[in-house]
Amino acid sequence: GQSIPRLKDIYSWWQLDENGKLVLAFLSSKDRITPSIADSTAEDIRNPVFALHEPDFDPTPCPDDRFMDRGNDRLLKIGFAHLLSNAEKELAGFDPQDRPMGLPAHFIRKYCLDQVFVKDFGDVNFGHALTALDYLRDLEFTRRSTLRKAAVNLEINQLNWRRVLAGNPSALKWVEKTQGNELRIEIMYSNLFLDLRIWTMTSILLAKDFNKPDALAMLNTLFPPAIQDLPNPKINPKILFQQRAIFYRYTIDVDENGPAIMKEFKRNLSQYDNRHCWPAVRGTLERYTDLAEKMIDQAKEITRTAQNPDSETLNSPESGGSRSFSGASFDSTRTTTKTPKAMGSLTDMRAKFGLSKKPSKLY
């Protein structure tokens, strides 16, 4: 496997690297897509009839956003390997399935909650948001890697875990507890992945020192035009593209007319019944980091017990001395829960710009 570049490094590439600045300036200077034939549409131009079929292609992005043109895919196949630090280069052959990596969970939790995404929105340190988002990604990778290691040490998989653990009630109960909770934490992380990016981009567009190239560099970092890998299967790429379309148009509007539209956007976003409001996002962040840390600790305890079978038996998750745990799903079937329904929509302004007749439902 290869080490993944940091968001801060990607942002610096778009903002400071000569090649990044050239691509940014070139594509952002091109005119919007305007059909030249009466019966032609922007979708026809973006998705030519004789082009290769792409089942996941979304024809709805903002026509001003030429980064999303299919013809520009070669320009956007950017290799960020040169951005990796020496330590990360040494880990270039690192297999994330074998060893967890990243800072300790308790440090990430404290950094994100106490130093960056604090409870009082007026004190949120968006200047360090990219670092915090990277740390949260590391935490998610560490959580999954640690759970995978525990499963390997127990010699279980999705087909045999009940049979293998039949004589180990504590480990069996641990695995059973993971079945429902894994879906919970996946949904929490996917919501954070989207919501923290929305608020970070909003802060950029509301900044007194707003600068269009810097805003586009941040947009290309948070909502990239070419999505390659996502850390969670619950993250919907089409929703990310929709948000990119919204924020691209807002960037153009703020550059031309000032931040009035973003002030209105923030007011709507901050409504108490909007599921993306800051108190709701901050609450999800608290629950996610707490649960992720507990999951990692419990999985490590499972691993120690598996490696030292003569040691003290794992505390039951029901006992007072044990931390409640949820972990990786080893079963092919899971209890499904409904994703919380959005009460307030971020796509209220889409019709104003003609971005979509029927926007997809947000998380």
Side-chain angles (χ1 to χ4, degrees), residues 312-323:
E312 184 178 351
T313 304
L314 176 71
N315 290 330
S316 167
E318 298 295 329
S319 66
S322 175
R323 306 182 77 178

Side-chain angles (χ1 to χ4, degrees), residues 177-345:
K177 284 286 185 179
T178 69
Q179 303 304 307
N181 286 335
E182 177 67 6
L183 181 59
R184 286 178 52 224
I185 201 164
E186 284 185 349
I187 291 175
M188 282 192 285
Y189 182 79
S190 64
N191 286 342
L192 288 172
F193 188 92
L194 176 66
D195 292 343
L196 292 175
R197 280 165 167 74
I198 288 172
W199 277 109
T200 301
M201 196 65 216
T202 299
S203 74
I204 292 293
L205 297 181
L206 284 170
K208 293 181 180 179
D209 57 347
F210 169 84
N211 176 275
K212 181 182 175 182
D214 289 349
L216 290 177
M218 181 63 76
L219 180 64
N220 284 348
T221 301
L222 296 174
F223 298 99
I227 297 175
Q228 296 178 349
D229 296 307
L230 291 171
N232 184 308
K234 295 293 184 294
I235 300 171
N236 188 337
K238 289 188 176 182
I239 290 180
L240 299 181
F241 285 137
Q242 284 183 351
Q243 293 308 306
R244 178 185 172 84
I246 292 171
F247 281 115
Y248 194 97
R249 191 65 192 93
Y250 284 170
T251 301
I252 302 301
D253 197 283
V254 171
D255 184 55
E256 295 175 352
N257 305 309
I261 191 171
M262 289 311 300
K263 292 179 180 178
E264 180 184 354
F265 179 81
K266 183 186 174 185
R267 281 196 296 270
N268 293 332
L269 196 63
S270 300
Q271 294 295 319
Y272 182 76
D273 61 350
N274 189 317
R275 64 163 296 272
H276 304 278
C277 69
W278 186 251
V281 175
R282 183 50 164 63
T284 300
L285 180 61
E286 288 185 14
R287 292 189 296 274
Y288 168 77
T289 53
D290 180 64
L291 184 55
E293 184 177 0
K294 290 176 181 177
M295 293 167 70
I296 291 168
D297 289 346
Q298 189 81 35
K300 288 180 177 177
E301 187 176 351
I302 280 280
T303 297
R304 285 193 297 269
T305 303
Q307 292 175 341
N308 301 282
D310 294 332
S311 64
E312 184 178 351
T313 304
L314 176 71
N315 290 330
S316 167
E318 298 295 329
S319 66
S322 175
R323 306 182 77 178
S324 167
F325 179 79
S326 66
S329 175
F330 300 109
D331 199 353
S332 57
T333 60
R334 295 192 296 194
T335 302
T336 57
T337 58
K338 286 188 176 181
T339 303
K341 185 177 180 181
M343 299 180 68
S345 175

Side-chain angles (χ1 to χ4, degrees), residues 20-64:
K21 290 194 294 183
L22 282 173
V23 173
L24 192 73
F26 173 68
L27 291 180
S28 62
S29 67
K30 296 180 69 176
D31 295 332
R32 68 180 291 157
I33 293 178
T34 304
S36 58
I37 305 174
D39 58 353
S40 179
T41 66
E43 287 79 4
D44 294 330
I45 297 173
R46 288 190 182 280
N47 192 11
V49 175
F50 299 106
L52 293 176
H53 177 61
E54 293 187 18
D56 296 328
F57 177 70
D58 183 1
T60 63
C62 170
D64 294 275

